Amino acid sequence: CFVKNPREHSIVNTNDCMEMAAKGEDARPTKLYPVWSTPGSQLADFGVGVGIYFLTLKISAVICLIAGLINIPTILYFEGSNYSNRQEGISNGGLKGSAVCTDVEWKACPSCVRSDWDYFPSDPSRFASIPADIFAPSDSSLAFILVNNCNIADRYAGIASFCSLIFVTVSVFLLSRYLRKKEVDFDLQEQTATDYSIEVINPPVDANDPEVWKEYMEGILPDEVQNKHVTCCTVALDNTKLINHLSARRQLMLQLELMTPPEIPFDKHNIEELGHEIPLPPTWKRYLCFATDPRALIAKIRVHEENIEELSTQTFE
């Protein structure tokens, strides 16, 4: 089988199966993962998310390739002479075959005003005006606008674009269902502590000694089981509210530390003074970027600390 060293990203070739190697494996030869020939399923050894990520990349590349092939008639039409005179004047080769129109001309537009081009997408370069009488002073002016003469008259170009849209939509839907299935397959291929764990959801109220649980679990195993033992036993108390407040306080404290300038020492036991030393974020950043006021963070931390102090006096079962 192949023995992998996750830290070194290497494998050992033995038989025809895959087995995770312990860190520091040096009893058998290793080599780096091949860039092109490593199966995607084996990348799940680094986590199910890693395997799903690279599988998504591979399938998405195929989807985009097929969608591009479907759009070849549209690209040829836009690049041809029937749409925009072969798009003369385009220096960027990447825009060739796109819907960019180079067949333009200025036309009079008496009802157009400059303010019409102030809205998004604003493009004042397509608007111009000259005096109504260029030989005599006049308060009035004549407006001109730059008009595209390109017209998508080929129905096959539209059909190709519509077909590619339908193909991508259906492909993304099927891809999501396929990835959910592969996520289960990747998880089944990897052996973790969860696969050998037992959760007791209705224990007795006073059964909160891990050693007692360890002896009980080892005692109920059949006698024919060799080397039977419980590796780890954890008793979770009903202290969810306390844990939530501790976690929230830790996150707020970390956020406050990140807001503290390097020249100001961070003292988590004296955060009141930090509130006066940390500069306030600009007004525009508070409204546009939702930047947090350090004094508001400190107030939230104090609220959590009061709840933690109150809950710490309770006995949890």
Side-chain angles (χ1 to χ4, degrees):
C1 63
F2 291 95
V3 180
K4 302 181 182 177
N5 188 329
R7 185 183 62 177
E8 300 294 339
H9 307 287
S10 57
I11 60 177
V12 177
N13 187 359
T14 56
N15 296 325
D16 55 354
C17 63
M18 306 294 276
E19 177 187 352
M20 181 70 71
K23 293 184 178 180
E25 170 67 44
D26 58 0
R28 286 169 286 185
T30 64
K31 66 177 181 179
L32 295 176
Y33 276 94
V35 176
W36 301 109
S37 59
T38 300
S41 59
Q42 302 308 321
L43 294 174
D45 291 340
F46 301 97
V48 175
V50 175
I52 293 295
Y53 169 75
F54 284 101
L55 181 61
T56 304
L57 284 182
K58 182 168 62 175
I59 298 178
S60 299
V62 176
I63 292 175
C64 292
L65 175 62
I66 297 176
L69 296 177
I70 296 176
N71 278 289
I72 287 179
T74 305
I75 297 174
L76 295 177
Y77 173 74
F78 285 147
E79 195 176 4
S81 58
N82 295 330
Y83 175 70
S84 181
N85 296 327
R86 299 190 179 277
Q87 296 180 326
E88 297 178 355
I90 296 181
S91 57
N92 187 353
L95 295 178
K96 284 283 189 178
S98 65
V100 174
C101 180
T102 57
D103 184 10
V104 296
E105 65 175 324
W106 290 95
K107 290 188 177 181
C109 182
S111 60
C112 296
V113 293
R114 172 64 179 77
S115 59
D116 294 338
W117 272 256
D118 292 337
Y119 301 99
F120 181 84
S122 177
D123 189 7
S125 63
R126 302 184 70 90
F127 176 85
S129 62
I130 61 173
D133 188 353
I134 60 176
F135 300 104
S138 175
D139 295 334
S140 61
S141 61
L142 182 60
F144 288 84
I145 59 174
L146 193 62
V147 178
N148 293 340
N149 293 325
C150 301
N151 183 24
I152 303 179
D154 188 282
R155 60 181 179 179
Y156 295 106
I159 292 175
S161 299
F162 180 74
C163 290
S164 65
L165 174 63
I166 297 298
F167 169 75
V168 172
T169 303
V170 174
S171 299
V172 170
F173 172 74
L174 296 178
L175 175 61
S176 63
R177 299 188 60 180
Y178 177 71
L179 290 179
R180 283 195 292 268
K181 178 179 179 299
K182 294 300 295 184
E183 182 179 359
V184 176
D185 294 341
F186 287 163
D187 184 62
L188 293 177
Q189 292 176 7
E190 303 304 318
Q191 293 185 353
T192 61
T194 307
D195 300 324
Y196 301 93
S197 300
I198 299 176
E199 180 183 6
V200 181
I201 60 177
N202 57 342
V205 178
D206 57 346
N208 53 13
D209 189 348
E211 292 298 328
V212 174
W213 278 106
K214 182 177 183 297
E215 295 178 1
Y216 171 75
M217 289 296 180
E218 291 177 347
I220 63 176
L221 292 174
D223 295 335
E224 56 270 15
V225 177
Q226 299 179 356
N227 300 325
K228 56 183 180 180
H229 71 282
V230 176
T231 302
C232 179
C233 181
T234 301
V235 177
L237 301 177
D238 188 15
N239 56 354
T240 305
K241 291 184 179 180
L242 176 60
I243 297 299
N244 290 340
H245 283 296
L246 288 170
S247 177
R249 178 186 177 277
R250 181 180 179 183
Q251 293 178 2
L252 293 174
M253 195 69 74
L254 178 60
Q255 187 175 353
L256 182 64
E257 184 178 0
L258 295 176
M259 295 176 60
T260 305
E263 62 273 10
I264 300 177
F266 180 78
D267 184 6
K268 64 180 180 180
H269 301 292
N270 192 11
I271 60 176
E272 298 294 346
E273 293 186 4
L274 286 176
H276 301 287
E277 297 179 3
I278 299 176
L280 298 177
T283 304
W284 65 268
K285 186 175 290 188
R286 291 202 299 269
Y287 286 100
L288 297 180
C289 304
F290 302 99
T292 306
D293 189 331
R295 294 170 298 185
L297 277 181
I298 295 174
K300 293 180 180 179
I301 292 174
R302 292 308 184 195
V303 171
H304 286 295
E305 288 179 344
E306 293 177 0
N307 293 325
I308 292 171
E309 184 177 356
E310 179 182 354
L311 291 172
S312 298
T313 61
Q314 301 180 11
T315 301
F316 298 98
E317 298 179 349

